[in-house]
Amino acid sequence: MSFVVTIDGPSAAGKSTTARAIAQQLGWRYLDTGAYYRALALKALRLWTAADDQAATRLARETRIEFSGDPSRAHVLLDGADVTDAIRAPDVSQGASRIAAFPGVRRLLVEWQRTLREREPLVGEGRDLGTVVFPDAEVKLYLDADPETRARRRHAELADRGLAVTLEEVRADMRARDERDRSRADSPLKPAADATVLDTSGWDPARQVEAALAVVRAHPRFPKGGDVPERAGT
Ligand code: DC
């Protein structure tokens, strides 16, 4: 089994930045599990379906979700169509959090996610990677930050993408999603008992990545020689 790093935590705690940077610096596979729930939610929103577990699971079975391109900045394909940008919209975030509460959907998506643990080392991010998907991962990180820091980060990110939402809307959105992700019966968001918790409030991305990489490199089974030169053009 390959070396696995899991990064869990609430939205805008720094998971994506950290996971992508680790994957890129070490040349490892990157797994964005949120993208699965987002892509499925986008399809459900478009089709006005998946109101309950049975319908949502049926929809998931009829859906193909794939990633293409550079692992650290992969494009997301939904039934063959590129939805990389579309799945980041705020209504899709809420839809993803809703559809992710259905046990049948989770069972199927977790199964798909596990198949990606092949021969190469992997760094994955999500909500349940250290607790459910890869409970035997070598390194488990849980990233968190205070709610105001996270709301400001997400607001800036959305503004960068040209989405006009107010900070208050982002705060409300985040509160709703946090509450749902933490309180659902199946695989709620929580740190694994053996996770290293990093509070990234007040940290810039470089510090986050440095702190996470230090934990990864300190593992006794860290595959030495895993460092690869930066890819050209990245
Ligand atoms: O990480 P993200 O914001 O892209 O995730 C979107 C939603 O998907 C999140 O609110 C909860 C759900 N999710 C989940 O339940 N389990 C995961 N491993 C990843 C995401």
Side-chain angles (χ1 to χ4, degrees):
M1 278 289 188
S2 62
F3 194 95
V4 170
V5 175
T6 60
I7 306 186
D8 290 309
S11 58
K15 299 187 304 293
S16 295
T17 309
T18 307
R20 283 168 197 267
I22 291 178
Q24 198 167 359
Q25 287 191 30
L26 301 177
W28 291 2
R29 180 188 264 277
Y30 165 65
L31 171 63
D32 175 5
T33 59
Y36 286 84
Y37 295 97
R38 285 175 178 273
L40 186 61
L42 177 66
K43 184 165 175 177
L45 285 169
R46 284 177 175 168
L47 298 177
W48 288 80
T49 181
D52 57 33
D53 190 17
Q54 217 181 355
T57 308
R58 199 179 320 120
L59 184 74
R61 283 213 181 86
E62 295 161 356
T63 299
R64 205 158 32 91
I65 298 167
E66 298 156 299
F67 299 88
S68 76
D70 179 332
S72 62
R73 40 179 83 178
H75 280 246
V76 184
L77 305 180
L78 170 62
D79 296 325
D82 194 326
V83 293
T84 311
D85 292 328
I87 60 167
R88 300 294 153 192
D91 60 332
V92 180
S93 303
Q94 290 297 342
S97 167
R98 272 190 213 102
I99 214 160
F102 293 138
V105 168
R106 298 204 72 84
R107 217 170 303 128
L108 199 61
L109 268 52
V110 165
E111 209 176 283
W112 295 349
Q113 291 158 14
R114 286 190 181 136
T115 64
L116 293 181
R117 183 178 193 173
E118 295 154 355
R119 255 156 281 147
E120 53 177 335
L122 174 148
V123 49
E125 59 151 309
R127 303 290 186 287
D128 60 342
L129 296 200
T131 51
V132 176
V133 186
F134 301 120
D136 58 343
E138 277 75 9
V139 177
K140 297 180 186 180
L141 297 170
Y142 187 91
L143 266 51
D144 209 345
D146 67 73
E148 189 58 20
T149 302
R150 292 170 42 223
R152 286 181 187 277
R153 281 181 191 161
R154 182 45 47 89
H155 183 246
E157 244 174 67
L158 293 171
D160 271 354
R161 271 199 232 111
L163 288 162
V165 279
T166 65
L167 184 57
E168 193 37 56
E169 283 168 329
V170 174
R171 282 193 195 107
D173 219 64
M174 214 167 232
R175 266 197 301 273
R177 207 140 68 93
D178 279 358
E179 167 63 21
R180 204 182 297 113
D181 294 348
R182 289 194 168 111
S183 64
R184 68 181 175 222
D186 188 339
S187 320
L189 168 66
K190 62 171 183 206
D194 51 349
T196 302
V197 178
L198 299 176
D199 183 340
T200 68
S201 312
W203 287 8
D204 64 9
R207 181 149 180 219
Q208 257 165 235
V209 173
E210 198 186 316
L213 265 171
V215 179
V216 174
R217 287 207 167 95
H219 191 278
R221 283 203 303 284
F222 173 72
K224 298 279 183 307
D227 295 65
V228 294
E230 293 260 316
R231 287 191 183 84
T234 56

